[in-house]
Amino acid sequence: MASRCSFCFWRLLHETPGKTFGTHSVWTAILSAAFSASDQCVLYRGAQKDFGSLIITLGIGLVGLLATADADLTKVQRYIVIFLFVVLLLLLVGIYFSDWFVTLFRNVPLLRHIAVRIENMKNPYINIHFEGYQPANALYSLGDAGFFGRGFGGSVRKYGFLTQAESDYILAIVIEEFGFFGLLLITVCYCILLWRLLHWALATAKPQFKVMLLCSAAYFLLHFFINIGGVSTLIPMTGVPLLFISAGGSALLAVGIVLGLDFYAISQIQIEQEIEAQKKPNRPRLQPARSKTICSCRR
């Protein structure tokens, strides 16, 4: 899936100069990045209980589709916005205000783990020795941290209490050791990265660069919110790593590929801006008119 998405993003960056970035390019490059790997995402990810990667992949594809300014896709984009609003409303009602999804997914073998994660999100202490063990210990880590934390290396939960302390629940360990300042530092670093990606996405007029940078921002943003929401039990835990911090070579490799493509896009944007600045004629500076003093001499 990573290789297919990388190829699609490479296709975006190497659009033929002078041609219009139209509907055909959008559907081949953007939607293929999210939906061409449907056999891997829907079937394989569903069987492996990895719906977090599926949500992120679909989210990146939808952001790329919504970010494309094309007259032929305007109606499709409106339908997508309405569909996302309806889905968000159903999720809020079905997860937070009722037990619809728990009752629905509990009897489906492929989706039973989703019902378990929703129950653990609402109250992980019901089954604390089995399915609720990880989220409950993550909350213990957050509660023991306080404002300043236990200090570097002072975490207790990483010694056997959290079995995924180096990957999915690394944020709980960081907060336990560094407190609120650790979370604030990570949030500020992510905000700076997202700000620069959005800045260059809005600074370019080429849609391929704009879509590439916006999809990259969605990639980092979705990972951050899904991980921090799962650790704090604000949303069901989906096993999404915290990029740049969680252990795992595949995630680090994917981050390196995405950042490399972003750096290439930003360098091309800077070159285009320099060329456009050189094309502008240098206007002569207007010098202020000197006031002439008239001396009247009396004879």
Side-chain angles (χ1 to χ4, degrees):
M1 182 180 65
S3 60
R4 296 183 185 183
C5 293
S6 301
F7 172 77
C8 295
F9 286 143
W10 176 86
R11 179 73 177 88
L12 282 173
L13 294 176
H14 290 78
E15 280 288 319
T16 306
K19 289 189 177 181
T20 304
F21 190 72
T23 307
H24 179 71
S25 300
V26 173
W27 284 97
T28 54
I30 299 300
L31 292 184
S32 58
F35 302 109
S36 66
S38 59
D39 56 339
Q40 183 181 6
C41 287
V42 178
L43 299 178
Y44 177 76
R45 297 295 182 184
Q48 296 295 323
K49 301 180 181 180
D50 191 7
F51 282 88
S53 299
L54 175 62
I55 293 172
I56 292 174
T57 306
L58 295 178
I60 293 172
L62 291 174
V63 168
L65 183 60
L66 294 175
T68 305
D70 193 276
D72 297 331
L73 293 177
T74 304
K75 185 180 292 187
V76 177
Q77 291 172 344
R78 292 176 183 174
Y79 290 151
I80 290 176
V81 172
I82 296 173
F83 175 75
L84 291 177
F85 178 77
V86 173
V87 170
L88 180 60
L89 186 61
L90 289 176
L91 289 176
L92 290 176
V93 175
I95 294 177
Y96 295 97
F97 299 102
S98 66
D99 294 330
W100 292 351
F101 290 163
V102 175
T103 306
L104 178 64
F105 296 150
R106 186 178 294 169
N107 299 323
V108 182
L110 189 62
L111 303 177
R112 183 184 174 276
H113 66 283
I114 299 179
V116 173
R117 290 176 179 179
I118 294 175
E119 290 178 341
N120 292 334
M121 179 205 70
K122 292 184 175 181
N123 190 358
Y125 305 104
I126 295 178
N127 199 1
I128 192 173
H129 297 291
F130 293 97
E131 287 87 357
Y133 181 79
Q134 294 277 10
N137 279 278
L139 292 179
Y140 289 149
S141 298
L142 301 181
D144 294 342
F147 195 80
F148 297 100
R150 291 177 172 268
F152 181 71
S155 173
V156 178
R157 301 293 166 187
K158 65 182 179 181
Y159 297 109
F161 294 95
L162 282 173
T163 58
Q164 303 295 329
E166 73 284 353
S167 56
D168 296 342
Y169 287 93
I170 187 67
L171 183 63
I173 305 303
V174 172
I175 296 177
E176 185 181 5
E177 293 187 355
F178 298 100
F180 173 76
F181 289 103
L183 176 62
L184 182 63
L185 179 62
I186 295 174
T187 305
V188 169
C189 292
Y190 267 90
C191 289
I192 293 174
L193 176 61
L194 295 173
W195 168 56
R196 297 311 298 171
L197 290 175
L198 294 176
H199 168 76
W200 288 109
L202 297 176
T204 180
K206 285 193 174 182
Q208 56 265 40
F209 291 152
K210 187 184 296 292
V211 171
M212 175 63 203
L213 294 173
L214 289 177
C215 288
S216 301
Y219 174 74
F220 293 112
L221 184 64
L222 289 173
H223 273 85
F224 177 72
F225 273 112
I226 292 176
N227 183 271
I228 195 174
V231 170
S232 59
T233 66
L234 294 176
I235 62 174
M237 189 64 182
T238 57
V240 172
L242 185 63
L243 299 180
F244 301 105
I245 300 177
S246 295
S250 59
L252 187 60
L253 177 62
V255 169
I257 294 173
V258 172
L259 289 179
L261 294 173
D262 291 336
F263 291 153
Y264 172 78
I266 292 173
S267 65
Q268 294 299 313
I269 295 171
Q270 290 177 337
I271 292 173
E272 291 176 0
Q273 289 180 348
E274 292 178 358
I275 293 174
E276 296 221 353
Q278 292 176 359
K279 288 181 180 179
K280 292 181 180 179
N282 296 325
R283 297 180 179 178
R285 296 182 179 179
L286 298 177
Q287 297 181 354
R290 297 179 180 178
S291 58
K292 296 181 180 181
T293 58
I294 302 175
C295 298
S296 59
C297 299
R298 293 184 179 179
R299 293 181 180 178

